[in-house]
Amino acid sequence: MRKTTGAIGLGAAMAVSAVLGIGTSGAANAEPAKPKSLYPPSALVLTVGWGSDAATAEVQRAVTLSCRPTPTGTHPARAKACAELRSVGGTFGRLRTGAEPGRVCTKEWHPITVTAEGIWDGRRVSYEHTFANNCFKSAAPTVVFEF
């Protein structure tokens, strides 16, 4: 008699848990997949190094930059750099890399290369630009590579 009562009680408990959705199966309680953010991913690694191209440059400094939903990362001027990148639609080639008018630099060849690798607004980016020397890099009116 006890076994019958116990079996009926166990069956009733299982039926109630099935109706209420309380089970041991993780799949039954899984939430539908949804994005963690409304913003497309944006995460960049920016580098500055001595050398004539990215493959041979000796990296001196590197920072991270993410612009969505708010500017974050180790870049010292995150907000300005993000605003500048937004103004060119994340196309690094459209950043102004020429010297500001009136700036005088030597014609010494001591190349310095800047790079950007990562994701901008959900698309992969890879950028490289070589300046003749650090004076030309510093003379460029962009804060993206000023770190």
Side-chain angles (χ1 to χ4, degrees), residues 15 18 22 27 29-30 42 48 50 53 55 60 75 89 94 96 100 106 128-133 137-138 143:
I22 308 170
N29 297 324
S42 165
V48 174
W50 296 108
D53 61 39
Q60 299 298 308
H75 194 289
R94 292 178 52 201
R96 292 182 44 211
E100 292 177 308
T106 64
E128 170 184 337
H129 182 79
T130 301
F131 295 92
N133 57 48
K137 179 190 145 320
S138 297
V143 296

Side-chain angles (χ1 to χ4, degrees), residues 2 6 18 31 55-56 65 68-69 73 76 87 89-90 105 118 120 129 131 134:
R2 271 189 170 166
E31 293 183 28
T56 60
L65 180 65
R68 299 276 176 122
S87 74
C105 289
W120 177 264
H129 182 79
F131 295 92
N134 196 45

Side-chain angles (χ1 to χ4, degrees), residues 65-86:
L65 180 65
S66 181
C67 297
R68 299 276 176 122
T70 58
T72 60
T74 58
H75 194 289
R78 295 177 291 275
K80 287 182 180 180
C82 287
E84 203 169 278
L85 284 171
R86 275 191 219 101

Side-chain angles (χ1 to χ4, degrees), residues 17-139:
S17 69
V19 169
L20 294 177
I22 308 170
T24 57
S25 170
N29 297 324
E31 293 183 28
K34 57 184 170 185
K36 295 181 191 274
S37 172
L38 296 174
Y39 306 101
S42 165
L44 301 165
V45 175
L46 309 171
T47 67
V48 174
W50 296 108
S52 58
D53 61 39
T56 60
E58 181 182 326
V59 175
Q60 299 298 308
R61 293 177 302 282
V63 296
T64 58
L65 180 65
S66 181
C67 297
R68 299 276 176 122
T70 58
T72 60
T74 58
H75 194 289
R78 295 177 291 275
K80 287 182 180 180
C82 287
E84 203 169 278
L85 284 171
R86 275 191 219 101
S87 74
V88 295
T91 306
F92 285 84
R94 292 178 52 201
L95 290 172
R96 292 182 44 211
T97 55
E100 292 177 308
R103 181 73 183 254
V104 179
C105 289
T106 64
K107 296 197 184 229
E108 166 193 21
W109 178 250
H110 188 47
I112 187 165
T113 300
V114 296
T115 66
E117 296 285 334
I119 306 293
W120 177 264
D121 279 344
R123 70 178 176 4
R124 179 97 169 91
V125 294
S126 180
Y127 173 77
E128 170 184 337
H129 182 79
T130 301
F131 295 92
N133 57 48
N134 196 45
C135 179
F136 281 101
K137 179 190 145 320
S138 297

